[in-house]
Amino acid sequence: MKKLVLLFIAIVSLSSFTADKTATTDIDIVGKWVGEENGDVGYFLFDKEGYATLEAQGQVLGGKEFMMRGQKCSMTYTVNYDATPMEIDFTVTLLETKDERKMLFIAEAIDNDTLKLASSFNDVRPTEFTETNSIMLTRLKDK
């Protein structure tokens, strides 16, 4: 869960996220994903409109509009399916000023419902998956 908490903190230090699926791939990341580490659970929601939401430790960040540090923000995601590994960028946008900050990830589809996600948390896209920078996400299916 340490990775989810670090991700949550990194997002708070940013400003928004965007989505674009331009290439074809075997996986569509739209949906709700869950990650677990040391008994702590966090959720990623990638919606069809390109908004991303993170839920961790009872807090929710992201989506079309949310409050962060007293300011209205949005969080979107973009996906580069042509890159190997796949690249996912989260963009936090301050709605009043349109200022943006990005968080750069790499991702690997293990199967259609399992996604490995990694970030360096320092404005540089990681080049590989390591034990310290990666988390495994599992798609939650509607019941």
Side-chain angles (χ1 to χ4, degrees), residues 19 21 27-35 42-55 77 79 81 88 90 112-113 115 137-142:
K21 183 178 177 183
I27 189 168
D28 181 359
I29 69 166
V30 170
K32 190 168 187 176
W33 299 79
V34 61
Y43 300 91
F44 287 84
L45 175 63
F46 298 98
D47 75 15
K48 292 177 184 177
E49 294 179 42
Y51 291 100
T53 304
L54 171 65
E55 299 175 32
Y77 68 96
V79 181
Y81 291 98
I88 301 176
F90 293 99
N112 196 45
D113 296 318
L115 186 68
L137 302 176
T138 303
R139 184 188 312 267
L140 293 176
K141 305 238 181 184
D142 292 332

Side-chain angles (χ1 to χ4, degrees), residues 42-105:
Y43 300 91
F44 287 84
L45 175 63
F46 298 98
D47 75 15
K48 292 177 184 177
E49 294 179 42
Y51 291 100
T53 304
L54 171 65
E55 299 175 32
Q57 296 187 333
Q59 296 187 32
V60 178
L61 284 179
K64 192 171 188 174
E65 188 175 293
F66 68 101
M67 295 297 292
M68 183 173 69
R69 297 184 182 161
Q71 298 184 358
K72 287 184 183 178
C73 299
S74 69
M75 186 160 71
T76 57
Y77 68 96
T78 56
V79 181
N80 180 354
Y81 291 98
D82 292 328
T84 304
M86 178 176 24
E87 298 173 346
I88 301 176
D89 296 347
F90 293 99
T91 304
V92 174
T93 303
L94 292 171
L95 295 177
E96 185 175 320
T97 64
K98 304 298 183 210
D99 288 340
E100 295 183 345
R101 294 288 306 248
K102 290 192 180 215
M103 194 165 179
L104 310 174
F105 291 82

Side-chain angles (χ1 to χ4, degrees), residues 33 108 110:
W33 299 79
E108 178 182 13
I110 306 304

